């Protein structure tokens, strides 16, 4: 890790809208001008359509590193979604740290709020549909460019153009890239002891702890 903060390019929110057939999604988020309130379940004015797989305390806020956008542009030249933040449905468009730099349980300032890393984002078909491609989800699984989910541990407000500072790092050996590769990318077979350890980590989101328990069985 070369630095201990991220710069916020944009904060984004969105509400569910028609997406595919009878499916709705809030993946199409737009930047907010000025301060935004952060409560226990995320940004004020942000919503989710699928409450089974999205939202809740463990998935209150989604960050996607803008550091990856150049890499994606090389693979999807001239794709309009990559011209501005929000291509991946993120609430926080940041730069300075990625999944290899950010660890499970890390706590960051977010304006006057405080957030805690709960797990990575497991991609689904909606990213393929949003990009009009069949390979976005598979590419994320292969490369671990997954994005980060935070839970809110202190409410407050924040705005773009500021920094998220790393406040605490209790688990320096557990980068989100490593956790993602173990639980989503197929790495569990090569390191079953690590998967068993993840199954017992309270800071890991319950959905991924359950996944770790099943993979370790």
């Amino acid at each position: 890790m070369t630095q201990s903060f991220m710069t916020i390019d944009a904060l984004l929110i969105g509400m569910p809208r028609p997406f595919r057939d009878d499916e709705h999604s809030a993946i199409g988020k737009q930047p907010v001008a000025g301060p935004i309130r952060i409560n226990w379940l995320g940004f004020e004015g942000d919503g989710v359509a699928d409450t089974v797989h999205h939202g809740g305390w463990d998935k209150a806020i989604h960050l996607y590193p803008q550091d990856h956008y150049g890499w994606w542009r090389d693979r999807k030249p001239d794709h309009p979604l990559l011209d501005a933040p929000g291509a991946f449905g993120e609430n926080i468009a940041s730069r300075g740290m990625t999944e290899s730099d950010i660890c499970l349980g890390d706590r960051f300032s977010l304006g006057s709020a405080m957030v805690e890393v709960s797990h990575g984002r497991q991609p689904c078909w909606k990213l393929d549909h949003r990009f009009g491609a069949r390979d976005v989800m598979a590419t994320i699984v292969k490369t671990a460019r997954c994005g980060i989910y935070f839970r809110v541990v202190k409410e407050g407000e924040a705005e773009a153009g500021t920094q998220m500072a790393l406040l605490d790092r209790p688990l320096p050996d557990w980068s989100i890239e490593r956790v993602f590769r173990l639980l989503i990318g197929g790495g569990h077979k090569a390191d079953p002891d690590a998967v068993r350890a993840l199954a017992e980590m309270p800071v890991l989101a319950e959905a991924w702890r359950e996944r770790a328990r099943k993979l370790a069985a």
Side-chain angles (χ1 to χ4, degrees):
M1 185 177 67
T2 59
Q3 63 184 45
S4 57
F5 66 90
M6 293 178 278
T7 301
I8 301 172
D9 286 357
L11 299 177
L12 306 97
I13 60 173
M15 294 299 290
R17 298 178 181 176
F19 188 63
R20 186 187 71 176
D21 300 329
D22 60 347
E23 296 272 358
H24 285 62
S25 176
I27 197 171
K29 302 186 187 298
Q30 296 297 318
V32 174
I36 187 167
R37 183 69 188 169
I38 302 163
N39 59 42
W40 299 120
L41 295 180
F43 290 172
E44 192 172 84
D46 193 46
V48 296
D50 179 359
T51 55
V52 174
H53 299 103
H54 299 284
W57 194 54
D58 280 339
K59 296 180 180 179
I61 297 172
H62 174 226
L63 177 150
Y64 198 81
Q66 303 302 283
D67 313 69
H68 295 327
Y69 269 52
W71 186 91
W72 282 105
R73 289 188 196 103
D74 288 343
R75 283 146 187 83
K76 300 196 173 296
D78 303 319
H79 199 297
L81 281 178
L82 297 170
D83 290 340
F88 299 88
E90 63 264 33
N91 297 115
I92 302 175
S94 66
R95 64 182 67 250
M97 299 174 72
T98 70
E99 296 84 354
S100 62
D101 307 307
I102 298 170
C103 297
L104 180 65
D106 279 1
R107 288 191 171 190
F108 286 88
S109 63
L110 180 55
S112 59
M114 184 189 303
V115 294
E116 180 180 80
V117 175
S118 59
H119 60 321
R121 189 251 192 101
Q122 183 174 353
C124 68
W125 64 268
K126 291 181 180 178
L127 284 171
D128 281 357
H129 184 71
R130 179 162 168 78
F131 275 84
R134 297 182 178 181
D135 62 341
V136 177
M137 182 174 71
T139 299
I140 289 173
V141 171
K142 183 178 180 180
T143 66
R145 289 175 167 85
C146 58
I148 310 288
Y149 271 124
F150 293 100
R151 58 177 67 93
V152 177
V153 295
K154 177 188 174 187
E155 295 182 311
E157 65 177 31
E159 60 184 312
T162 58
Q163 292 182 346
M164 296 177 65
L166 178 63
L167 303 174
D168 188 31
R169 169 159 290 175
L171 298 169
D173 295 330
W174 294 94
S175 73
I176 289 300
E177 178 183 2
R178 182 189 180 197
V179 175
F180 183 91
R181 291 189 184 281
L182 283 167
L183 299 185
I184 308 299
H188 62 282
K189 297 176 183 178
D191 198 348
D193 289 343
V195 175
R196 283 190 286 271
L198 285 171
E200 301 301 322
M201 289 186 186
V203 74
L204 182 63
E206 173 57 32
W208 277 25
R209 266 185 289 151
E210 179 61 24
R211 184 173 179 84
R213 286 191 285 268
K214 290 179 179 177
L215 290 173

